[in-house]
Amino acid sequence: MGYAQRKVATTAAKLAHVSSQHLKALPTKHLSAGRSAGAPPAVFDAQSWAASQPPPRSTLAAFVHRIGLGNVVSSPDVIQQAVTHPSFVQLHTQQHPDQPLPATNASLATLGNSLLGLFATEYVNSSYPHLPTRVLKAAVSAHVGPTTCANLAREMGVTPILRWHRSSSASTQNSVLHADALASVPRALTALVYQYRSLRSARRFAEKFFFSRDVDMRSMIKFRDPKQTLLATVEKYGRERPVSRLLKETGRYSQSPVFVVGIYSGADQLGEGFGSSLKMAEYRAAEDSLLRLYLTRQPPHLLQLPSSTFPDAVGNVFDAVGTEGAYSPTSLGDSEVLYGSAGRAGIRVPGARSRVVEAEDSDLDIYV
């Protein structure tokens, strides 16, 4: 490098250094005044630019055929809308300020969430007519809740084509989690099936992807005092008072005894439990008796859902023309037993420590 070239390089380096120092000294408002809120960032971010690009149409077509909706949704643009979360608008505006805003799945996800809630509620309520109210809500959430929708989206293969953007705010209140963005896609797909086909088609879609999964309903119910709850339940149904009987035992005088206790109401055995002590076995027997009642399931061939009455014609529930299906309502199950006594409900009047208000409170703990 000659003298002239070294002089030019040194001068350019000095100018760049002076310019950077001058920019650091300027207030922030002077730096941001030159570009609007929707202008592209001053520094090119390759990762953000790549995330703002639409997925290939061939990928969208393969996805819609993989989940069995190739004959329902023919346009890849509709599927692209279904996989576009509302949070993506901010990223698209930053990278492409001159292009129109993309269509998002906000309205589709809202409609699909309502449909899934309807389908899950009638399915769980018809399948388990004696289920307590709070357990019913927990079961509906286990079938079509956010966690289930996010897991289903991953199984469908939504992750590579999902369009979303995590908020850059430091506060986590306004940030969008990846699981929440994934959960919106199955809801939007359910709404698309309803819009392009019918309500019964949307219900079949939910049965295929959501209700075909096994949900452990037994683990959702725990009792603080199952013996007291069973006593009130048997009295409500007008049955004989429950009696505990020792059915089997082994190793009573050893270090690991096992007792098997059964609870009977008259000649009928209500439940059975085992344990290392008589008290533990009786506790489990009472719990088993209550679970047999609450988790009594309607046989699948006798299960009828209210939404089955709508015609299976193309169109929404207001415009569809066709023959309505027959429906025979099943008998409603009895509500759970509510009981309470002084000192057990835990509700006290403020300012009166010695006075306890008797309140009826369910003796159920819900675990999901």
Side-chain angles (χ1 to χ4, degrees), residues 178-198:
H178 185 239
D180 295 337
L182 284 173
S184 66
V185 178
R187 299 167 181 166
L189 294 176
T190 305
L192 287 179
V193 176
Y194 168 69
Q195 288 185 348
Y196 284 87
R197 284 295 184 264
S198 62

Side-chain angles (χ1 to χ4, degrees), residues 74-269:
S74 58
S75 175
D77 296 334
V78 179
I79 298 299
Q80 181 173 319
Q81 178 184 357
V83 299
T84 303
H85 192 264
S87 60
F88 179 76
V89 175
Q90 178 182 359
L91 178 62
H92 184 273
T93 304
Q94 294 175 357
Q95 299 295 329
H96 310 284
D98 300 332
Q99 297 182 7
L101 297 179
T104 64
N105 62 3
S107 58
L108 292 176
T110 302
L111 176 59
N113 187 42
S114 301
L115 291 173
L116 290 175
L118 167 65
F119 299 149
T121 302
E122 66 174 4
Y123 172 77
V124 176
N125 189 35
S126 300
S127 301
Y128 302 94
H130 302 286
L131 206 62
T133 304
R134 287 187 291 172
V135 184
L136 174 65
K137 295 179 180 179
V140 170
S141 179
H143 278 91
V144 296
T147 303
T148 304
C149 290
N151 293 335
L152 178 60
R154 294 188 184 96
E155 296 174 5
M156 288 180 173
V158 177
T159 305
I161 61 176
L162 177 65
R163 310 177 75 191
W164 74 294
H165 174 62
R166 189 190 302 272
S167 176
S168 59
S169 176
S171 176
T172 58
Q173 183 177 2
N174 298 326
S175 62
V176 179
L177 301 180
H178 185 239
D180 295 337
L182 284 173
S184 66
V185 178
R187 299 167 181 166
L189 294 176
T190 305
L192 287 179
V193 176
Y194 168 69
Q195 288 185 348
Y196 284 87
R197 284 295 184 264
S198 62
L199 182 68
R200 297 184 65 177
S201 299
R203 181 166 62 85
R204 284 193 291 266
F205 177 82
E207 291 175 353
K208 179 180 179 181
F209 286 96
F210 290 93
F211 305 149
S212 59
R213 302 166 177 264
D214 292 332
V215 176
D216 187 10
M217 306 285 292
R218 192 181 183 93
S219 62
M220 296 183 183
I221 311 177
K222 294 295 180 182
F223 302 93
R224 288 191 295 266
D225 190 355
K227 294 174 59 178
Q228 182 69 19
T229 307
L230 179 61
L231 183 64
T233 303
V234 171
E235 182 180 358
K236 175 182 178 179
Y237 282 93
R239 303 289 296 274
E240 297 183 19
R241 185 182 181 88
V243 178
S244 302
R245 299 176 184 174
L246 180 62
L247 302 180
K248 298 177 183 179
E249 67 169 298
T250 180
R252 178 184 286 264
Y253 299 105
S254 65
Q255 294 183 354
S256 56
V258 177
F259 301 93
V260 180
V261 174
I263 295 183
Y264 290 81
S265 176
D268 300 329
Q269 182 179 356

